[in-house]
Amino acid sequence: MTETPDQAGPLPRHIAIIMDGNGRWAKQHGRIRVKGHEAGADTVDLVVRSCAEIGIEVLTLYAFSSENWLRPAFEVSALMRLLHSYLKRETGRLVEQGIRLRAIGRLERLDSAVRRELEKACEVTAPGRTMTLNLAISYGGRDEICDAATALAREVAAGNLEPGAITPERFAEKLNTAGLPDPDIMIRTGGEYRISNFLLWQLAYTELYFSNTLWPDFSRDELLGIIHDFQHRERRFGRVLEGGEGTSHDLEIKG
Ligand code: IPE
Ligand code: IPE
Ligand code: MG
């Protein structure tokens, strides 16, 4: 049975996903890794559509990490080709669905044809108000934090900023994700329990979900199940909630 988001519970505003497991999916099916990435692209369509329908404001997809440049050249170019054809194929549909495309990462490393297609897609989808689809491409959380620090250091050196005036809010304005809410949910598929340099700053208080499903097999039902679970989690952000002064489960420390 399909689980649906709980009408009473809060909907996540921002869902971020590490789409992992394409290579293992291909291996399971006796195919080359690139076939896994192709199958993964279909899951991207499904998840984008589902999130827009549910009313999610921002969906961030980790499509290619700064470390993924170290994969064999053949695989890197196949991934770039896939990204290029995804943009060519989907831009019109994103416009129809009111989905605004945005990209984060060191985009200057992308080859010029892919970059041009990406810029075009971001431009024509800009008026979209249904959802923001944020693609992390050539993205690394440490790069992003270093770039923000560099930008602030330049302002300090130019005499336009006091070092003491650097706050978390000011810092966040220099990140690629400036203006977006932090993710409420981070999902990693593929059965690995790590962050792999994804949104290191932004995940500070995100609810984490690790799924053993390989990305090409990830379904709308699993997504809905995660959202449903999220709606029943208690997020405390370090505080004690009203009426949460202690339960019978609290450990009593005896002296
Ligand atoms: C994720 O799948 C896609 C990218 C990193 C681009 P992988 O290619 O990492 O798949 P596995 O982890 O080898 O199964
Ligand atoms: C993370 O997956 C990057 C993306 C999904 C784009 P990887 O497969 O590259 O991460 P590791 O190597 O398992 O940490
Ligand atoms: Mg992987």
Side-chain angles (χ1 to χ4, degrees), residues 62-116:
Y62 203 6
F64 191 88
S65 72
S66 47
E67 290 74 22
N68 289 153
W69 289 112
L70 300 171
R71 292 190 178 196
F74 171 76
E75 183 167 343
V76 171
S77 40
L79 284 165
M80 291 300 143
R81 240 189 351 264
L82 263 177
L83 175 60
H84 192 254
S85 57
Y86 174 82
L87 294 168
K88 267 186 124 58
R89 191 181 67 239
E90 290 301 316
T91 301
R93 207 153 6 147
L94 295 178
V95 172
E96 275 167 32
Q97 294 173 283
I99 298 173
R100 177 205 335 225
L101 188 71
R102 179 168 167 162
I104 58 171
R106 292 211 167 142
L107 307 176
E108 65 279 7
R109 290 191 70 183
L110 300 175
D111 91 26
S112 56
V114 176
R115 213 168 135 190
R116 231 176 308 136

Side-chain angles (χ1 to χ4, degrees), residues 20-21 24 33 71 188 192:
D20 195 24
R24 278 162 286 161
R33 292 178 58 83
R71 292 190 178 196
R188 182 175 187 140
E192 308 287 3

Side-chain angles (χ1 to χ4, degrees), residues 211-231:
S211 162
N212 289 326
T213 305
L214 304 174
W215 177 247
D217 292 329
F218 190 73
S219 65
R220 181 184 167 94
D221 272 4
E222 188 165 357
L223 174 70
L224 290 171
I226 289 171
I227 294 174
H228 189 264
D229 181 276
F230 167 83
Q231 293 183 303

